[in-house]
Amino acid sequence: MSFSQSFFAERFGITEHDLESYLSEALSAGGDYADVYFEYLATSSIGIDEQIVKSATEGVSMGAGVRVIAGERTGYAYSDDLSPAKIRKAAHTAALIAKGPASVVKTGFEKAQQHNLYPMLRAPNEMGLDERVALVKRADVAARAYDSRVFQVQATYADSLRNVLVATSEGKLSFDRQPMARMSVMVLARQPDGPPQHGYAGGGGRVTLDFFLNEKTPEDFAREAARQAIVQLDAIDAPAGEMPVVLGAGWPGILLHEAVGHGLEGDFNRKGTSAFSGRIGQQVASPLCTVIDDGTIGSRRGSLNVDDEGMPTQKNVLIENGILRGYLQDKLSSRLMKTASSGSGRRESYQHIPMPRMTNTYMLAGDSDPADIVRSVKKGLYCTTFSGGQVDITSVFYVMAATESYLIEDGKITRPVRGASLIGNGPEALKYVSMVGNDLKLDEGIGTCGKEGQSVPVGVGIPTVKIDRMTVGGTAA
Amino acid sequence: MIAQELTLEQIASDAVQQALAGGATDAECTISEGEEFSVSVRMQEVENLKEAGSRGAGIRVLTGEKGAQRAGSSYTSDLSPEGIEKMVKAALELAKITSVDPFGGLPEPSELGKLEGDLNLYDDAIAKMTTEWKIDQAMRAEKAAFDFDPRIELSEGASFDSHTGRRIFANSRGFLGSYRTSSCSLSVVPVAKQDGAMERDYWHTSTRNSTRLESPESVGRIAAGRAIRRLNARKVPTQKVPVIFEPRTAGQFLGDIFGAVNGGAIYRHASFLAGKLGEKIASDALTVVDDATIPGLFGTTPFDDEGVASRRTMVIERGVLKSYLLNTYSARKLNLKTTGNASRGITGNAGIGPGNFFIEAGALAPADIIANIPSGLYVTELIGGGANTVTGDYSSGAAGLWIENGKLTYPVSEITIAGAMQQMLQGIEQVGSDLEFRGSIAAPTILIREMTISGQ
């Protein structure tokens, strides 16, 4: 597709000449680099609660952000009005970060290379509202049918289509159309007169409504949420103290996101505030661990054809057989660290400055049979579902909140336990990985990562792994 | 033709009228506009400078007879007449596919209203602060952190942020209201280094009124002191001990309590406090209030996001659960009256949010509370947020200082604290006198009799 056929050219009449003029204005007081990011985001969501469709919302937000980099300094301004005068004003404001003679903008744009990871059969605005309603109703029926102890069901379907355009002072131009869809189901169950328990499941990715008709159905998510709530009805107090922990395959990969991923983001390492700073080539994990961040997997929630700085995303090896190989870089950090961008520059919206972020972070499969991994533990915990996690990248103290776990006693999975935090120290945690399963699984597509006030969608994945020592934060001391 | 610029109030009122003309029986429109400024410095150099403004409008329409209405919502960042027209049409379309909900609909006209008088939410001095002055504040805060101790040689930076905004709300029952707000904050994140180990912490001052901004030197020194005292942290053995939450972490725990008194969780039976109104759910030492009427605070507004006048609600009085926090919908579901806690962005059905939600201060100075503990934990950081307000199960990552013989001693980290929220509330033995409002949820120091610490 040529630029003149692209979304912003067709809908708002934006020309290459306009883009050049914005970039010239941005570099009118000097600076090393400038870019302008256009965004047009259309969202839609519908929710069922207490068996009735209580909410239906849709909307549009749009704007353009102009960034100027001068050395380590960044100037940023945005406008929610796409008129040339307003964008030029934003460019002028961003330019104030630099003080000097104007820098030269390359004239004539070259279209940047990019992937084609999420082709759409039908765009979200081609789907009927009734099709959306049908999805949440199916989820409600399936969750209630799963078990008579289910008494509350909330289900939501949400989708969005984001059109973006990035033009840089290096003369690169990229545009992309990024779909996202997600279903989530929340279930409460209780024994007659007993206290309620909670279950949650969801999924999706850079897909459209058709995904939920063909690949993962509302019933799949509804049954999973109901199953989790029912399991919790028999849960006992979680143990407290250090013990071996087995993480199930898939979503427990948030361990990688928290324990190592954030610590490998280029900005923290450039500033020297990460515990991984200056440790490339060192052993930071057990030799069984190879950790990848891959933004190029088709239709995944964390994938992008082109990052939010106009660079094609990549498959980046972070840790190879336990050795630290690389950081996640955006343009600013890579420029200052004299290396290349890894296609990891991301931002929440046109109102935000890009920074290095993860995409889909996972560990390669090993060769252990998952059943053997559980059998090898005399007394420990088996965790399969988490509600989230957090890390302090300086001390590398990380926490994950487990919502479905079981005791392992004499190599067998026995009783379910109540919610408990799992904690550890980033670079230490992966040194205790003693078995890696052959069952690598990526998560269902529900992850959102928050950093410095910006949220972006991400994915994780992991095979079943055994960690010899981890602290479990239950109450049964 | 000369196009006349409409005021935001006119745009909101017109959107409501368009919805009624399009067949809605009720409608409400929210508009917000804001200007943000942010500067960050790191290692005494300016790092980021950001400045911009944005606006957004949202509408919620109701169709059908009162008591049997359907709702549809939409929003837009395009406030031109065409943008507003599209927004209204989209909401009307969506109202065709939602269900009839007997509990839905706008508040009763008698419930609509707003606090009169100046609530001191807007300070023009914040809009007038110069870029140079703001940069200087951030520079001085970071410098004060560096000067505090030679082990502070690194920093994640200091930032000064300011915001001014307006919010407009109109509905088809004749309510039209608007208010301006301003806020500014200064924060710094120093990194302490010793023997190859690093720890960071932060401190900030945030206010709606420029005169209440704390000095950059004070913010920098407090942040540095907090980072330094975390160096050489130990992991402690797994055990059950008394736990003291400092105001920052006590506020986070109070945020979890907010989740449990939120009317939306109550009517769904999704809270361990559902059905407990009038019962003794906490110790005598605990009184919790929600008050959106205190001038100048972050949780203060003249009216809530449904146009109901703000008020003070006693939530927990000396341990007895007196009230949930409700919007119109949850109040109808529970056969109660709204407490004026409706909260939303610019669109959708209203949720429930806090006014100024706080634990009433007690009599003891924090040092006196610590002095009575032979052995226990003083929590300065919570991480990972593991409160389950459905069941009351609580488990969170924590860092802090160990208390021995009534004194704060060595730092501890990489531990968890866990308990049942039901027992934590009953176990609040002391409440400090050190209540300060730095956000809409605020608490003084609190002492909880016993929690499980998981470490080595």
Side-chain angles (χ1 to χ4, degrees):
Chain A
M1 201 200 321
S2 74
F3 176 67
S4 59
Q5 298 165 300
S6 71
F7 177 84
F8 289 95
E10 288 211 324
R11 185 136 180 178
F12 296 96
I14 290 163
T15 65
E16 294 195 29
H17 178 74
D18 292 336
L19 298 173
E20 282 171 8
S21 79
Y22 303 147
L23 292 166
S24 297
E25 180 69 47
L27 293 179
S28 59
D32 307 316
Y33 170 87
D35 58 22
V36 51
Y37 174 89
F38 287 79
E39 179 186 23
Y40 183 96
L41 174 67
T43 69
S44 153
S45 79
I46 184 158
I48 195 167
D49 181 14
E50 299 185 301
Q51 296 179 280
I52 64 173
V53 179
K54 282 190 188 175
S55 65
T57 301
E58 56 183 52
V60 169
S61 65
M62 64 185 116
V66 183
R67 171 172 65 154
V68 176
I69 296 177
E72 289 197 49
R73 296 174 162 221
T74 299
Y76 196 80
Y78 59 84
S79 165
D80 60 4
D81 182 337
L82 296 182
S83 68
K86 289 289 170 62
I87 299 174
R88 207 163 284 126
K89 181 169 172 251
H92 182 75
T93 304
L96 297 174
I97 197 72
K99 284 181 182 62
S103 301
V104 178
V105 178
K106 200 167 175 291
T107 50
F109 287 103
E110 177 196 348
K111 179 143 192 290
Q113 271 194 317
Q114 59 191 69
H115 311 288
N116 181 21
L117 302 172
Y118 26 81
M120 279 181 286
L121 289 175
R122 295 190 293 165
N125 60 7
E126 295 164 38
M127 318 277 175
L129 293 172
D130 50 336
E131 289 185 81
R132 295 178 157 93
V133 173
L135 289 180
V136 293
K137 285 189 170 164
R138 280 171 58 186
D140 178 71
V141 168
R144 288 173 194 276
Y146 182 84
D147 192 295
S148 61
R149 290 168 289 181
V150 169
F151 73 98
Q152 284 278 4
V153 179
Q154 278 177 276
T156 308
Y157 170 78
D159 61 28
S160 65
L161 185 63
R162 183 191 305 267
N163 275 283
V164 299
L165 162 66
V166 189
T168 77
S169 59
E170 295 158 338
K172 292 274 188 194
L173 191 61
S174 50
F175 36 92
D176 195 19
R177 193 168 70 146
Q178 301 164 348
M180 180 71 77
R182 171 175 169 161
M183 270 208 85
S184 50
V185 185
M186 199 278 285
V187 164
L188 293 175
R190 66 181 165 202
Q191 305 283 10
D193 302 319
Q197 292 288 346
H198 173 262
Y200 172 87
R206 293 212 180 273
V207 296
T208 57
L209 187 143
D210 292 318
F211 175 85
F212 302 95
L213 301 175
N214 305 320
E215 293 183 49
K216 276 277 179 179
T217 64
E219 287 77 13
D220 293 335
F221 299 116
R223 288 183 200 124
E224 172 59 16
R227 186 194 63 73
Q228 285 177 27
I230 296 295
V231 163
Q232 286 299 314
L233 293 175
D234 297 320
I236 57 172
D237 285 346
E242 278 187 346
M243 63 195 72
V245 169
V246 175
L247 297 180
W251 178 238
I254 59 172
L255 169 74
L256 308 171
H257 181 101
E258 304 298 353
V260 296
H262 277 298
L264 297 178
E265 288 165 343
D267 46 355
F268 299 129
N269 288 282
R270 164 169 68 84
K271 297 170 186 176
T273 55
S274 164
F276 288 99
S277 302
R279 294 183 67 177
I280 298 267
Q282 291 183 16
Q283 183 93 31
V284 295
S286 120
L288 298 172
C289 299
T290 293
V291 179
I292 310 275
D293 185 82
D294 187 352
T296 72
I297 314 173
S299 302
R300 299 300 305 185
R301 187 170 160 83
S303 296
L304 285 169
N305 288 331
V306 57
D307 78 2
D308 298 326
E309 301 184 298
M311 299 296 289
T313 52
Q314 299 180 20
K315 179 174 180 175
N316 294 302
V317 177
L318 303 179
I319 294 172
E320 187 178 19
N321 301 324
I323 309 289
L324 182 59
R325 289 296 180 210
Y327 299 128
L328 294 169
Q329 298 287 9
D330 64 357
K331 283 189 171 171
L332 174 66
S333 288
S334 62
R335 179 187 294 258
L336 295 170
M337 290 176 81
K338 303 199 168 22
T339 174
S341 162
S342 59
S344 308
R346 302 186 64 186
R347 55 177 124 200
E348 181 179 309
S349 78
Y350 71 90
Q351 300 188 355
H352 298 90
I353 300 174
M355 53 186 163
R357 303 295 293 260
M358 286 172 263
T359 57
N360 304 293
T361 314
Y362 59 93
M363 182 187 286
L364 292 188
D367 48 23
S368 296
D369 180 337
D372 289 340
I373 296 177
V374 172
R375 263 196 291 275
S376 74
V377 177
K378 185 153 173 43
K379 190 166 181 294
L381 200 65
Y382 175 60
C383 304
T384 56
T385 311
F386 292 84
S387 60
Q390 197 182 338
V391 65
D392 171 338
I393 54 104
T394 304
S395 65
V396 254
F397 171 27
Y398 71 85
V399 180
M400 310 195 294
T403 48
E404 184 180 358
S405 317
Y406 301 83
L407 295 180
I408 304 177
E409 295 169 297
D410 292 323
K412 288 192 187 68
I413 292 168
T414 58
R415 304 282 309 264
V417 303
R418 302 167 81 108
S421 303
L422 300 188
I423 60 168
N425 175 285
E428 294 302 311
L430 293 191
K431 287 183 182 162
Y432 291 113
V433 171
S434 61
M435 295 175 88
V436 176
N438 54 18
D439 57 341
L440 168 64
K441 203 176 126 194
L442 300 179
D443 74 288
E444 296 290 346
I446 55 170
T448 297
C449 168
K451 174 179 170 185
E452 291 168 24
Q454 293 195 44
S455 296
V456 296
V458 294
V460 296
I462 200 168
T464 300
V465 296
K466 177 181 171 186
I467 299 160
D468 285 341
R469 258 176 71 184
M470 218 168 173
T471 299
V472 177
T475 52
Chain B
M1 194 182 86
I2 298 167
Q4 197 184 349
E5 179 90 345
L6 293 173
T7 66
L8 296 181
E9 281 87 348
Q10 281 170 321
I11 294 174
S13 299
D14 288 357
V16 167
Q17 291 310 316
Q18 274 184 41
L20 296 179
T25 46
D26 268 315
E28 49 189 6
C29 178
T30 307
I31 296 182
S32 76
E33 73 170 347
E35 300 274 333
E36 64 160 315
F37 174 93
S38 158
V39 61
S40 62
V41 306
R42 195 177 69 84
M43 307 306 285
Q44 294 293 288
E45 296 278 354
V46 172
E47 188 172 50
N48 291 325
L49 199 60
K50 181 175 168 187
E51 191 170 359
S54 58
R55 310 195 295 183
I59 194 156
R60 178 168 173 264
V61 305
L62 295 133
T63 60
E65 291 305 305
K66 189 168 170 266
Q69 289 173 312
R70 303 164 188 269
S73 318
S74 61
Y75 69 90
T76 184
S77 64
D78 177 5
L79 270 57
S80 68
E82 302 74 41
I84 296 291
E85 194 183 319
K86 272 191 198 160
M87 171 182 83
V88 173
K89 277 199 178 134
L92 287 167
E93 277 305 301
L94 287 164
K96 291 178 186 164
I97 57 154
T98 55
S99 311
V100 166
D101 189 342
F103 300 96
L106 303 189
E108 299 306 322
S110 61
E111 289 174 320
L112 297 171
K114 48 197 164 205
L115 299 182
E116 299 300 336
D118 187 3
L119 291 172
N120 201 8
L121 304 180
Y122 180 80
D123 176 6
D124 205 39
I126 291 176
K128 292 192 172 121
M129 288 170 174
T130 65
T131 299
E132 292 68 30
W133 188 83
K134 291 186 260 200
I135 291 173
D136 184 55
Q137 294 284 302
M139 287 284 191
R140 280 165 56 189
E142 194 193 40
K143 180 157 191 310
F146 286 135
D147 290 347
F148 182 82
D149 191 292
R151 288 169 292 178
I152 308 280
E153 54 179 77
L154 194 62
S155 153
E156 276 187 20
S159 61
F160 192 98
D161 294 81
S162 61
H163 185 270
T164 57
R166 267 185 90 209
R167 188 150 178 124
I168 293 93
F169 182 77
N171 74 14
S172 55
R173 305 277 171 94
F175 184 94
L176 176 63
S178 71
Y179 56 94
R180 297 172 83 159
T181 57
S182 64
S183 64
C184 60
S185 68
L186 171 65
S187 65
V188 58
V189 190
V191 176
K193 266 179 147 170
Q194 190 171 21
D195 306 329
M198 286 194 292
E199 293 285 351
R200 66 170 176 180
D201 209 314
Y202 75 96
W203 195 248
H204 74 116
T205 171
S206 309
T207 173
R208 289 207 180 283
N209 192 305
S210 59
T211 59
R212 286 205 295 266
L213 205 58
E214 291 158 30
S215 86
E217 284 72 26
S218 158
V219 172
R221 281 194 296 265
I222 294 172
R226 292 181 67 97
I228 292 287
R229 74 177 182 183
R230 293 177 69 154
L231 283 167
N232 305 312
R234 304 180 206 169
K235 213 167 162 172
V236 288
T238 299
Q239 58 192 297
K240 295 191 179 198
V241 288
V243 173
I244 293 176
F245 290 73
E246 67 160 3
R248 194 163 91 185
T249 49
Q252 286 174 269
F253 175 61
L254 183 63
D256 296 328
I257 301 300
F258 174 79
V261 298
N262 179 317
I266 301 298
Y267 83 74
R268 291 189 183 89
H269 308 279
S271 164
F272 72 94
L273 292 178
K276 304 271 194 232
L277 221 47
E279 289 183 27
K280 187 92 169 24
I281 54 126
S283 82
D284 290 342
L286 187 73
T287 292
V288 176
V289 176
D290 184 72
D291 188 348
T293 73
I294 309 169
L297 297 188
F298 280 99
T300 303
T301 52
F303 51 87
D304 78 355
D305 290 350
E306 291 182 307
V308 173
S310 295
R311 66 200 64 189
R312 175 186 168 95
T313 303
M314 180 61 75
V315 180
I316 299 171
E317 187 170 26
R318 280 179 283 125
V320 177
L321 182 61
K322 292 295 214 186
S323 179
Y324 302 125
L325 293 177
L326 306 166
N327 58 9
T328 298
Y329 187 83
S330 60
R332 286 185 186 140
K333 293 288 287 188
L334 292 162
N335 204 16
L336 294 166
K337 292 274 180 212
T338 174
T339 56
N341 284 91
S343 168
R344 68 176 138 215
I346 53 170
T347 194
N349 296 336
I352 293 173
N356 297 293
F357 187 66
F358 63 95
I359 295 177
E360 212 163 68
L364 285 179
D368 295 333
I369 297 177
I370 296 165
N372 284 320
I373 305 298
S375 174
L377 177 68
Y378 180 74
V379 185
T380 60
E381 173 132 349
L382 291 170
I383 174 167
N388 180 339
T389 48
V390 175
T391 59
D393 292 340
Y394 184 94
S395 172
S396 178
L401 297 157
W402 198 251
I403 305 169
E404 261 174 17
N405 302 320
K407 290 203 169 58
L408 298 177
T409 59
Y410 53 87
V412 292
S413 185
E414 281 183 53
I415 56 169
T416 65
I417 55 174
M421 290 171 84
Q422 294 90 330
Q423 285 161 26
M424 289 169 73
L425 286 169
Q426 297 286 2
I428 296 178
E429 290 190 331
Q430 301 286 357
V431 174
S433 56
D434 51 342
L435 176 66
E436 273 184 54
F437 290 90
R438 290 172 180 274
S440 57
I441 296 185
T445 299
I446 58 172
L447 162 64
I448 293 179
R449 187 188 310 132
E450 184 180 90
M451 292 186 74
T452 303
I453 291 180
S454 183
Q456 269 167 349

